[in-house]
Amino acid sequence: MSDAILKAVQEHATATAEELKAIRDSHRELQDEMADLAQKSQTPAGFGQTKKKSVSAMVANDDQLNALRSRQTKSVIISTTASIKAVVGDAGGVGDDAYSVDGYRFNGIANDPRRALSLLEILPSIQVNSNSFEYTALNGFTDAAGYQLAEGDAKQEQAMPTELKTAPIATIAAVLHASEQVLSDSPALAQFIQSRLIYGVRQKLEAEILNGAGGTGQISGLLTEATEFTPTAGISSADAIGEAMAELQSTGWNPGVIVLNPADWQTIRSERTNDGVYVATGWDSPAGPNIWNVPVVASAAMTAGTALVMDPAQAIMLDRMGANFQLGYVGDGFAQNIITSRAELRAGLAVMAASAVLKLTIPPAAA
């Protein structure tokens, strides 16, 4: 055998030995990994699970691993049915570790409906600086103007009966107690409390401006002060309101606003002819909130089935103190870390002329 052939045989033998060593090392590493995996997948005895074939047993008996051992292949992929424990955020599988994940919280407080306080926006308001408001009004005045038929004849003598009226200034307030800690830890809550309490006292004010029964420290509202008007029987609501407007004009007032319950306003604006055609355009192009070109204010505080037609200049809101918000300690609040929130306003209503505010009954909205 020549030296060249001998050298080639030796190099081949060396390469083969190195390849076999690499395979044995790879096999050893794979065995170590499988042993570690088997240890992790085993369930300790007594934990109520049925005995399953271990991962190491499934791997050791796999045909592909046997092929690797016999050097028929250089790599293998071995499938197992063993479950692997995991930390999961939901129910997961048997043996998984459940973890309670914090939900994303809305930054605010929901379910807080607030209707528009439209009536407070349209009535004229004046600032007062006392706990009552006085005004002088004519009482049973009759115009006595007449002819002087001849020179020297006595002229008609005019009487001017008056009366002094007083409108009280009422206090409307609400308080809420909360701990210093929760207000400090949740600035959004503190802001919500302030907003909600202020809205609450203003909403109560609008309700009393409409329905207040009067009395000591209470507002006498528009429905209490108004003059009853009876329209022609059997006519539509819009026509009945039109008659009330004509009555105001005939007595010298300027009809400037109509107050309705939202359901009654919907009944009027959705009225149809016998042919099914909307009287006031329709839902795809609704007419503005007015009847006979006089603005309509829809207020949920308004009594259903009743309409107010009025000259707004003759119903004046009396603003003694606008709605404000304050914080303070009450009683043992300082020692107990309890802060009292308070929203408060002082206001009144002066109906300068009862004949300028007419109330009438209209067919109520269908239930």
Side-chain angles (χ1 to χ4, degrees), residues 25-276:
D25 292 341
S26 177
H27 183 210
R28 188 177 300 107
E29 291 176 0
L30 181 60
Q31 284 182 318
D32 292 341
E33 291 178 3
M34 289 187 294
D36 182 65
L37 183 62
Q39 182 179 4
K40 293 179 179 179
S41 64
Q42 288 177 353
T43 302
F47 278 72
Q49 295 187 3
T50 56
K51 185 176 181 181
K52 296 182 179 180
K53 192 174 183 180
S54 69
V55 174
S56 59
M58 288 186 284
V59 173
N61 297 324
D62 189 83
D63 293 338
Q64 295 187 56
L65 180 60
N66 293 329
L68 177 65
R69 290 170 178 165
S70 62
R71 296 191 294 279
Q72 297 177 8
T73 182
K74 293 184 178 181
S75 62
V76 298
I77 298 176
I78 303 174
S79 300
T80 70
T81 59
S83 64
I84 299 176
K85 291 182 179 181
V87 175
V88 296
D90 52 16
V94 176
D96 288 339
D97 296 321
Y99 179 81
S100 178
V101 179
D102 293 337
Y104 179 82
R105 177 170 290 188
F106 170 69
N107 186 24
I109 296 180
N111 194 25
D112 178 34
R114 303 189 189 186
R115 58 181 177 80
L117 305 179
S118 306
L119 187 60
L120 298 184
E121 306 301 327
I122 63 100
L123 290 181
S125 175
I126 61 173
Q127 192 76 38
V128 298
N129 57 9
S130 182
N131 63 355
S132 63
F133 176 77
E134 296 180 344
Y135 59 100
T136 301
L138 294 175
N139 182 23
F141 176 82
T142 300
D143 195 338
Y147 289 110
Q148 182 189 33
L149 297 178
E151 293 182 11
D153 287 352
K155 299 178 179 66
Q156 297 293 329
E157 185 174 344
Q158 177 69 63
M160 194 174 70
T162 62
E163 64 177 330
L164 182 65
K165 292 191 173 183
T166 302
I169 301 299
T171 299
I172 297 175
V175 297
L176 185 145
H177 309 290
S179 71
E180 284 189 62
Q181 291 91 334
V182 73
L183 294 177
S184 176
D185 295 341
S186 179
L189 174 61
Q191 294 174 3
F192 175 82
I193 290 173
Q194 176 176 348
S195 171
R196 195 62 184 80
L197 289 186
I198 287 180
Y199 173 81
V201 296
R202 296 189 74 242
Q203 178 179 239
K204 177 62 175 178
L205 174 61
E206 181 175 273
E208 292 303 299
I209 290 292
L210 276 171
N211 302 294
T216 303
Q218 300 182 56
I219 295 172
S220 184
L222 292 170
L223 289 173
T224 300
E225 295 289 323
T227 299
E228 192 79 39
F229 176 76
T230 303
T232 303
I235 63 175
S236 68
S237 296
D239 287 341
I241 291 171
E243 288 189 352
M245 293 167 54
E247 175 67 15
L248 286 179
Q249 290 172 324
S250 68
T251 53
W253 305 119
N254 179 31
V257 66
I258 301 163
V259 185
L260 293 170
N261 182 276
D264 292 333
W265 168 231
Q266 172 61 20
T267 297
I268 293 173
R269 69 179 175 179
S270 62
E271 183 182 358
R272 303 192 189 196
T273 66
N274 293 333
D275 297 328

Side-chain angles (χ1 to χ4, degrees), residues 255-317:
V257 66
I258 301 163
V259 185
L260 293 170
N261 182 276
D264 292 333
W265 168 231
Q266 172 61 20
T267 297
I268 293 173
R269 69 179 175 179
S270 62
E271 183 182 358
R272 303 192 189 196
T273 66
N274 293 333
D275 297 328
V277 179
Y278 283 106
V279 173
T281 62
W283 57 263
D284 61 336
S285 55
N290 71 82
I291 298 174
W292 301 114
N293 211 32
V294 173
V296 170
V297 172
S299 172
M302 182 64 180
T303 302
T306 299
L308 276 176
V309 184
M310 55 187 286
D311 182 341
Q314 303 304 314
I316 302 175
M317 282 183 52

